[in-house]
Amino acid sequence: MKKNIFFVFAIFLLFSSPSSAFEGPLQLKNQFPLFLYVNAPYLESAATGNSFSAGLSHSSVFMTRNSAAWSVNLDMEITELNLRLRKVIPGLFEVGIEVPVMVTASGFMDGFLESYHKTFGFPDYGRDTRPTNSFLYEVRRNGAIVVQGRNGDIGIGDLRLTAKREIRRDDPAISVKADVELPAGSASDGHGSGSIDTGLSLLLDKKITERIISYWNAGVIFPGVLRAQEEVALRTSFYGGGAIEAALWDHFSLIGQIMFQTSPFPKTDIGPIDRIAALLSVGGRYSSGKNSLEFSLTEDPNTAGAPDVIFNLTYQRRF
């Protein structure tokens, strides 16, 4: 399935024509519950600008794993509305603020995902051992509850402040970005970390042709202590990835990207948490004037530290 998706992507590149300005990678982040509230990274362009965006993501997560010390039981769907405002301070840098609102619930996608996995031969992670569209969100360490979510719970997540400065505007364009995530969400029910998380990243944009551009990101996350029902000392996490945007027509671009991230959790001896997470995404963007609308589908090729699937729809207005 994934090979077919990127084969189609390559065909589009061969037969596309020049288009409007490039707008960057898909605006989505890892919605795996244990990573989502620890300054979850996302890919972005080195370019700065003034914009407002509203991104709506919906994902399905299933994992029931145990080790000597840890028990992680996740059977849920997550809907997140992420509001981002970015403003350039002339001669200095771009500043931004992000406000996420999350809903954790039993959801409605189990039947669709069962058919989807069977059709394409993907693993179902043992989903058939649980009742259809049921809810479970419980993390324990040494028998004590660390995080316990509630079905239908709605809450604000941690607030993120960002600052991005351009180092080079020519091709390749290069920027550095710093961010701070403030503990606004509830850590005990899985909407926040309960402490301050920070991060640094290097962003690079490199044109391949006049109608194809690549984006490359590498960064590090310095999480604080998870202050939920039990405190957990988190560890430094690293991430990196790349995206290709192909301008197909005057108003439409096709985008493919992949991002990798190491776990911010201490070693749990649970493979899907300790292994490197990967997010493979394909989507498109329609732009008209100062407005754009993008849509994407994300899979987890490494079956670790990521939802089974993420659907994303994002509206952005530049000003």
Side-chain angles (χ1 to χ4, degrees):
M1 176 62 176
K2 299 179 179 71
K3 290 181 179 178
N4 292 338
I5 290 174
F6 282 93
F7 175 75
V8 173
F9 181 62
I11 293 296
F12 274 132
L13 298 188
L14 291 175
F15 293 98
S16 56
S17 58
S19 165
S20 55
F22 300 108
E23 295 187 30
L26 299 165
Q27 295 187 49
L28 58 92
K29 58 186 177 181
N30 190 352
Q31 286 197 297
F32 186 65
L34 302 189
F35 298 176
L36 178 60
Y37 49 74
V38 189
N39 203 14
Y42 53 87
L43 301 183
E44 64 174 292
S45 170
T48 59
N50 302 317
S51 66
F52 168 78
S53 66
L56 185 64
S57 297
H58 187 80
S59 61
S60 176
V61 179
F62 184 89
M63 177 188 295
T64 55
R65 294 294 184 94
N66 300 281
S67 67
W70 289 86
S71 174
V72 178
N73 296 293
L74 309 172
D75 184 2
M76 59 198 295
E77 293 180 21
I78 300 174
T79 303
E80 180 185 21
L81 175 64
N82 197 17
L83 305 176
R84 296 174 180 163
L85 179 63
R86 297 170 180 172
K87 183 73 172 66
V88 173
I89 300 177
L92 295 176
F93 40 71
E94 172 198 279
V95 295
I97 182 170
E98 300 178 19
V99 182
V101 179
M102 290 179 284
V103 182
T104 54
S106 56
F108 57 90
M109 293 178 60
D110 281 4
F112 162 75
L113 289 174
E114 181 181 0
S115 299
Y116 173 68
H117 289 146
K118 286 182 178 179
T119 300
F120 297 104
F122 297 155
D124 68 355
Y125 313 95
R127 188 183 299 273
D128 57 0
T129 62
R130 292 267 306 156
T132 300
N133 296 327
S134 58
F135 180 84
L136 181 61
Y137 185 7
E138 183 181 270
V139 179
R140 292 175 179 266
R141 183 182 60 177
N142 297 322
I145 292 178
V146 177
V147 177
Q148 188 165 47
R150 297 183 296 271
N151 189 18
D153 205 11
I154 302 175
I156 190 170
D158 291 346
L159 304 182
R160 182 180 301 185
L161 306 177
T162 64
K164 180 165 63 174
R165 180 173 177 83
E166 294 178 324
I167 298 176
R168 175 188 170 96
R169 292 189 176 181
D170 297 331
D171 188 35
I174 302 174
S175 293
V176 292
K177 189 187 77 167
D179 49 75
V180 177
E181 199 167 68
L182 305 177
S186 170
S188 61
D189 58 15
H191 285 174
S193 69
S195 62
I196 296 175
D197 308 314
T198 60
L200 291 171
S201 55
L202 180 67
L203 319 175
L204 183 147
D205 301 351
K206 174 63 181 175
K207 281 190 175 181
I208 300 175
T209 70
E210 286 303 310
R211 51 193 169 91
I212 304 174
I213 190 171
S214 63
Y215 307 98
W216 304 95
N217 289 193
V220 58
I221 299 166
F222 305 103
V225 174
L226 173 61
R227 293 188 170 91
Q229 297 190 39
E230 293 281 322
E231 290 195 356
V232 177
L234 302 175
R235 60 179 175 174
T236 301
S237 174
F238 300 90
Y239 74 94
I244 294 179
E245 180 179 6
L248 301 181
W249 299 286
D250 286 343
H251 299 287
F252 185 77
S253 292
L254 187 68
I255 305 162
Q257 66 188 50
I258 189 165
M259 184 179 73
F260 301 93
Q261 180 188 1
T262 64
S263 173
F265 262 65
K267 185 174 177 59
T268 64
D269 291 320
I270 296 176
I273 296 177
D274 295 341
R275 295 200 311 269
I276 293 175
L279 298 175
L280 180 67
S281 307
V282 174
R285 179 183 295 120
Y286 177 82
S287 301
S288 179
K290 296 182 178 181
N291 304 297
S292 66
L293 186 67
E294 70 179 47
F295 50 90
S296 65
L297 168 68
T298 299
E299 271 279 356
D300 60 331
N302 201 32
T303 59
D308 305 349
V309 64
I310 305 173
F311 298 96
N312 178 267
L313 183 68
T314 296
Y315 165 79
Q316 179 175 259
R317 179 172 177 82
R318 299 172 299 282
F319 56 90

